[in-house]
Amino acid sequence: MTQTHCPYCSLQCGMTLERAGRTLEVQAWPEFPVNEGALCRKGWTATGLRGHRERLTTPLVRDRETGEVRATGWDEALDLVAGRLRELRTSYGADAVGVFGGGGLTNEKAYQLGKLARVALGTSQIDYNGRWCMSSAASAANRAFGIDRGLPFPLADVEQTDVLVLVGSNLAETMPPAARHLDRLRANGGHVVVIDPRRTPTADRADTFLQPVPGTDLPLALGVLHLLDAMGAVDEPYVAARTTGWDDVRRAVAAWWPERVERVTGVPASSLRALATLLAGADRAMVLTARGAEQHAQGTDTVLAWIDVALALGMPGRPFAGYGCLTGQGNGQGGREHGQKADQLPGYRMIDDPAAREHVARVWGVPAATLPGKGRSAYELLGALGTDGGPKALLVFGSNIVVSAPNATHVASRLADLDLLVVADIVMSETAALADVVLPVTQWAEETGTMTNLEGRVILRQRAVAPPEGVRSDLDVIAGIASRVGAPVVFETDPEAVFAELGRASSGGRADYAGITYDRIREENGVFWPCPTDDHPGTPRLFASSFAHEDGRARFVAVEHRGPAEPVDAAYPLHLTTGRVLAQYQSGAQTRRVRELPDDGPFVELHPMLADRIGAHDGEPVVVTTRRGELKAPARVVDTIRPDTVFVPFHWVGANRLTNDALDPVSRMPEFKVCACAVTA
Ligand SMILES: Nc1nc2c(c(=O)[nH]1)N[C@H]1C(S)=C(S)[C@@H](COP(=O)(O)OP(=O)(O)OC[C@H]3O[C@@H](n4cnc5c(=O)[nH]c(N)nc54)[C@H](O)[C@@H]3O)O[C@H]1N2
Ligand SMILES: Nc1nc2c(c(=O)[nH]1)N[C@H]1C(S)=C(S)[C@@H](COP(=O)(O)OP(=O)(O)OC[C@H]3O[C@@H](n4cnc5c(=O)[nH]c(N)nc54)[C@H](O)[C@@H]3O)O[C@H]1N2
Ligand code: SF4
Ligand SMILES: [Mo]
């Protein structure tokens, strides 16, 4: 019996794995506090990929001329990869090699991947799929609070607040065990507000549901601020003592009276007044954002506007109140802290900070001057592949980019122009299927490593079974490439040793893990960072006495509404939004292969009024067209969506042939949640 955690989302539900003969069974682990034994369908069926006939168990090499793929040995595969990387580096310079990571990788892997890029390959060109996930919330939190920990409090604090506002989160489907907190909050007399263009299962659990036009959460927040100010509900003593910048915000929101907000957002002025009144009367209020609010070309500004709401109410730092982001991927939090991001070094240090470079270079045993600078962000990296001055080779660990990147047809064309594409994966994902070299790696139940969940709690996944023969861990693969390209230092492959090194590298940084050990995690059901020393208890709650900026104050930031990068017009008159369904995970590479999970393919959710107008019928195909591509899929006619909006899940190939690659100027996050489309029957 092994205590471990689910391989999927950021809740990182605790589970027990029990061996019964050749099978591995998922059982509850009721003592783990985050999920108290509950799992969603994806968690219960997570062992379905073990022994799957499509599981990769040998390295594969593609013949470029014939397109044929043949099995090969590990030494041959790694020699080939390293040989080509060295050639490309000699011909074009170190930045000719790109690395693409993932927020599902353990902390140890994310750390080693960053070190592989900076120390072994010498390239600045590394980034990861977290840019597409919570990066707008991260940049907003850094700006407002001086630190980015998705939730600055344990998730269970939700139950003790008075008013909870969920902006663009469908947690009843995206982290189902978390939905019990909403029920308990309501049982405690609290009030749940859900803001979403679709009346989701999460909205069904709300006391108040607002249904804005996609891409208008920002003016909605400005409208709330306008009313709070007009009602005299701003917490002036808090604003004076703990923040700066309120006056600029006050001036900016003066122009957002409720009727104007109604015109832009579609939310009735009376509903906006009711929300402001509810918030003004709450002792404790909590605002949580997720991808619905964040995955926009103005995602950072939108989150800042909602943080402004929380600050105006005097909430951040108060018990059971404040602002948080519901991070998404299994290690969405840790994945952004240890150096697989283009501008970062371990410990959430910035790569252009000389002191940070000195510290990390010392831990790595190399001169700081040899570390490259900041590289391109995820989508910009993909867009530059195979172009003049762009990378000629790409190593992918833990992402299925041809399915999950925006404007995916363009991304596929960039991959096709590479001299070398290497993909390390568990299964033949759509991206692995395009690779020159595919490297088969161990999956979660077969290896040990830490993850940091959405609360900033560092938890431990433990190995429960041996991997299939022929499969190696990512840490082995990284070390194998590093030594073959002539890395100046040896790369550890034992996860506990890598974690100890990561602890030293993070020491003194914002995300300080120096005091965390595998034993402590086992004993304490996880440890919250920052935890700088062995005798430090960890930090479940931040901001009680000060924020992380040097002066200890939070920043109000005044923002203006620009609207979606691609507004609707006569040719493309509808809003297209995208997202998730309960039974599938991300690009679907893993869950589409789990037999017990329904795999019905993409669908187009639309309102009966729209269906009527275009002559569409439930279950029959419709065609969604945008300026980038089209998708034919069955209509799902539901009265839970706005009549001017259609929704497509992105777990199958197709949605991202439609989506826009407009990026947020700060976080470089793509606008997955709104673009203009047309639909025909
Ligand atoms: N079942 C399942 N669970 C998952 C995942 C999965 O793939 N499948 N992935 C995990 C990951 S990585 C993530 S990031 C999280 C994401 O978790 P969520 O953010 O909860 O998921 P999404 O479905 O992307 O988006 C949430 C909601 O945003 C709404 N929305 C769309 N446009 C707008 C808008 O402009 N404004 C507002 N307010 N809402 C809008 C959508 O209708 C949708 O209901 O889920 C995690 N959990
Ligand atoms: N239209 C639209 N597109 C979106 C979104 C949206 O809401 N709408 N959401 C975006 C978001 S929030 C996210 S997080 C991304 C996610 O999209 P992806 O980055 O594509 O995420 P996954 O499908 O989880 O891909 C993980 C891949 O890594 C493999 N893998 C799993 N574990 C490991 C491991 O330990 N090592 C290695 N080497 N491989 C592993 C899996 O088999 C899979 O092929 O999609 C983004 N794309
Ligand atoms: S909620 Fe997330 S972590 Fe929990 S079982 Fe489901 S997918 Fe796994
Ligand atoms: Mo995500």
Side-chain angles (χ1 to χ4, degrees):
M1 192 192 88
T2 310
Q3 285 174 339
T4 188
H5 297 269
C6 173
Y8 304 122
C9 86
S10 62
L11 211 53
Q12 282 302 288
C13 293
M15 59 167 62
T16 306
L17 292 179
E18 185 82 43
R19 292 174 70 162
R22 295 186 57 197
T23 64
L24 188 64
E25 248 180 49
V26 175
Q27 293 181 1
W29 173 13
E31 295 78 28
F32 185 71
V34 179
N35 57 310
E36 299 172 313
L39 297 170
C40 79
R41 283 159 83 174
K42 299 184 295 302
W44 288 119
T45 57
T47 56
L49 259 190
R50 262 194 87 230
H52 195 279
R53 64 190 159 77
E54 289 177 64
R55 182 75 197 273
L56 297 168
T57 53
T58 173
L60 302 169
V61 174
R62 178 184 311 277
D63 184 316
R64 278 249 164 170
E65 312 272 275
T66 64
E68 258 170 55
V69 176
R70 68 182 167 82
T72 181
W74 272 100
D75 279 335
E76 195 190 338
L78 293 176
D79 286 347
L80 177 96
V81 169
R84 310 256 311 255
L85 293 179
R86 281 202 312 264
E87 278 164 28
L88 290 168
R89 185 164 67 184
T90 308
S91 308
Y92 301 102
D95 279 355
V97 178
V99 180
F100 201 93
L105 301 176
T106 61
N107 288 313
E108 291 79 354
K109 295 178 185 186
Y111 169 81
Q112 286 299 69
L113 204 58
K115 184 172 166 182
L116 174 75
R118 275 63 174 251
V119 174
L121 299 166
T123 179
S124 67
Q125 300 297 300
I126 175 168
D127 212 63
Y128 81 121
N129 67 8
R131 289 278 186 186
W132 303 336
C133 189
M134 61 335 109
S135 60
S136 288
S139 49
N142 277 323
R143 179 102 186 263
F145 303 126
I147 194 168
D148 156 37
R149 202 183 82 186
L151 293 181
F153 38 70
L155 183 62
D157 277 13
V158 162
E159 295 173 13
Q160 313 292 326
T161 198
D162 296 323
V163 177
L164 173 70
V165 185
L166 289 172
V167 197
S169 161
N170 183 15
L171 59 73
E173 291 190 280
T174 54
M175 30 196 81
R180 76 191 189 286
H181 298 305
L182 307 190
D183 300 337
R184 291 184 192 160
L185 167 64
R186 294 176 74 194
N188 289 343
H191 193 111
V192 177
V193 181
V194 169
I195 302 174
D196 196 306
R198 301 184 306 138
R199 198 175 72 236
T200 59
T202 311
D204 288 339
R205 294 170 185 250
D207 304 282
T208 299
F209 170 53
L210 304 183
Q211 196 166 20
V213 176
T216 63
D217 300 285
L218 192 163
L220 200 63
L222 300 184
V224 171
L225 283 162
H226 174 100
L227 286 167
L228 292 178
D229 192 28
M231 293 154 87
V234 174
D235 185 340
E236 303 283 354
Y238 175 98
V239 167
R242 299 209 55 185
T243 72
T244 65
W246 166 242
D247 288 342
D248 292 341
V249 171
R250 171 175 272 165
R251 263 193 302 279
V253 302
W256 286 95
W257 57 91
E259 289 70 22
R260 180 177 176 209
V261 174
E262 173 174 333
R263 224 165 40 239
V264 177
T265 65
V267 173
S270 57
S271 305
L272 192 70
R273 285 198 180 87
L275 175 60
T277 307
L278 183 70
L279 288 169
D283 280 340
R284 292 177 290 211
M286 203 180 260
V287 178
L288 301 181
T289 62
R291 303 310 81 77
E294 299 164 12
Q295 288 173 324
H296 293 279
Q298 261 201 293
T300 303
D301 285 355
T302 302
V303 174
L304 283 168
W306 283 99
I307 292 177
D308 287 342
V309 170
L311 288 172
L313 292 164
M315 295 299 161
R318 193 175 282 190
F320 311 113
Y323 164 80
C325 148
L326 294 161
T327 291
Q329 296 182 82
N331 198 25
Q333 182 67 49
R336 69 210 208 221
E337 298 164 358
H338 300 296
Q340 61 176 331
K341 190 159 173 265
D343 56 357
Q344 269 176 21
L345 290 173
Y348 220 128
R349 289 185 159 90
M350 302 319 285
I351 203 164
D352 48 13
D353 168 4
R357 296 169 66 86
E358 278 300 332
H359 172 85
V360 174
R362 211 173 314 118
V363 174
W364 285 348
V366 298
T370 62
L371 301 181
K374 184 169 151 177
R376 292 180 174 92
S377 77
Y379 187 76
E380 288 159 302
L381 175 60
L382 297 181
L385 297 177
T387 63
D388 268 356
K392 312 282 184 228
L394 187 71
L395 311 178
V396 181
F397 287 80
S399 183
N400 187 7
I401 41 192
V402 287
V403 179
S404 57
N407 199 1
T409 311
H410 177 64
V411 168
S413 83
R414 294 298 83 239
L415 293 181
D417 279 354
L418 283 171
D419 290 354
L420 176 69
L421 175 62
V422 180
V423 176
D425 209 307
I426 303 159
V427 291
M428 193 58 111
S429 71
E430 285 76 4
T431 308
L434 302 174
D436 300 292
V437 181
V438 179
L439 303 171
V441 293
T442 48
Q443 62 165 319
W444 109 108
E446 300 157 0
E447 58 184 25
T448 294
T450 62
M451 310 281 284
T452 306
N453 84 346
L454 78 172
E455 311 166 285
R457 183 196 303 256
V458 184
I459 53 103
L460 185 64
R461 285 185 180 172
Q462 309 196 92
R463 174 173 155 143
V465 281
E469 208 174 321
V471 165
R472 291 194 183 174
S473 80
D474 289 294
L475 294 180
D476 278 328
V477 174
I478 292 169
I481 296 175
S483 66
R484 285 174 175 80
V485 295
V489 294
V490 173
F491 279 56
E492 276 290 348
T493 54
D494 171 53
E496 196 161 4
V498 175
F499 188 72
E501 185 185 312
L502 177 165
R504 291 195 298 281
S506 76
S507 176
R510 284 185 203 157
D512 193 329
Y513 283 43
I516 308 178
T517 61
Y518 281 16
D519 282 340
R520 276 194 69 177
I521 298 174
R522 285 190 195 99
E523 283 154 24
E524 300 171 30
N525 275 332
V527 180
F528 290 83
W529 70 259
C531 179
T533 55
D534 299 348
D535 54 2
H536 187 286
T539 316
R541 294 182 182 82
L542 300 170
F543 311 148
S545 53
S546 75
F547 296 97
H549 287 300
E550 237 158 61
D551 60 5
R553 287 165 179 266
R555 306 280 183 272
F556 275 98
V557 181
V559 294
E560 253 316 323
H561 175 58
R562 289 193 301 273
E566 188 181 60
V568 293
D569 57 20
Y572 298 98
L574 298 163
H575 306 283
L576 168 68
T577 193
T578 60
R580 294 158 166 82
V581 298
L582 200 163
Q584 290 293 328
Y585 190 69
Q586 311 278 66
S587 73
Q590 297 170 89
T591 44
R592 278 188 273 124
R593 292 179 167 87
V594 174
R595 222 176 310 121
E596 300 93 322
L597 294 173
D599 175 14
D600 312 334
F603 56 86
V604 181
E605 203 177 274
L606 73 169
H607 193 275
M609 270 154 61
L610 174 60
D612 237 24
R613 200 164 75 223
I614 63 170
H617 300 283
D618 191 55
E620 289 176 16
V622 288
V623 178
V624 183
T625 315
T626 71
R627 286 188 175 80
R628 292 152 296 280
E630 66 172 46
L631 169 73
K632 188 174 183 179
R636 207 173 268 189
V637 180
V638 294
D639 63 4
T640 45
I641 189 166
R642 288 181 59 92
D644 58 5
T645 301
V646 297
F647 169 86
V648 179
F650 82 101
H651 310 293
W652 295 270
V653 174
N656 279 327
R657 291 185 185 144
L658 304 171
T659 47
N660 193 356
D661 52 14
L663 302 184
D664 180 282
V666 184
S667 65
R668 318 308 283 167
M669 164 175 269
E671 191 147 67
F672 285 123
K673 285 292 189 270
V674 61
C675 68
C677 77
V679 185
T680 51

